[in-house]
Amino acid sequence: LSFGSSALAECVRPGARRRERGVMEPSQLKQFETYCATLYTSPDAADRSAAEAALVQLSASPEYIPQCQYVLDYSKYAYAQLVAANALKKLLIQSWNHLSQQHQLEFRNYTLSYLAQRGTSIEPFVSSNLIQIVATLTKLGWTTGDEHKQIVAEVSKFLHATTGHLVLGLQLLQQLVSEINTSANARSLTLQRKVSASFRDTALFQILQIALRTLQQLASSSIPATNDEQP
């Protein structure tokens, strides 16, 4: 394999050759997947290092957000999905203050919808990264719009679908509680305290009720204790 910044740039840059912003040619997506495979599976340390140096460009600029979404939407390779999810999270955090409130909510809902549609079929290490994105973006947007505060209602939809979705929903709620109660990704300590207090007063009790109800259903065998839908 041949690695280099110019090679990956050709895969991910938003250039005029593409008909739509963020769209990769099939050969470019395949090359991107090859870099990801090398990064995570190659026995050669030099190749892994070169692949990492090339792939890090995906998180170098908010211009690459559409490319991250394209990889998530069209690649079936788990390691490519993982790299794209990690880059998407980093780029959204970095550019959060420069996004409109509408775009902030759209990115959160994109990730939430992705989990609803594909979360039960992708690898757990991919879904866990996407769950982190939902929790982080909800926290960042908590004080900017009431839509973000409806997250418990949105996640509750997972709880009434398949068993796999139930598991995802519980993971989303757990990650949300964890994210809200840590200073990581907080804009300031004052804002962190404000968000934490608001979340406690408006959402935490609902989450507790959901957890207790789910435990009762498991105890009564109303829902299976295992997820047979997960491959």
Side-chain angles (χ1 to χ4, degrees), residues 33-34 36-38 40-41 71 75-82 126:
E33 292 172 339
T34 300
C36 296
T38 301
Y40 285 102
T41 65
V71 173
S75 178
K76 297 182 180 180
Y77 187 53
Y79 290 130
Q81 295 168 350
L82 177 61
V126 178

Side-chain angles (χ1 to χ4, degrees), residues 9 34 53 111 136 190 226:
T34 300
T111 313
T136 299
T190 299
T226 58

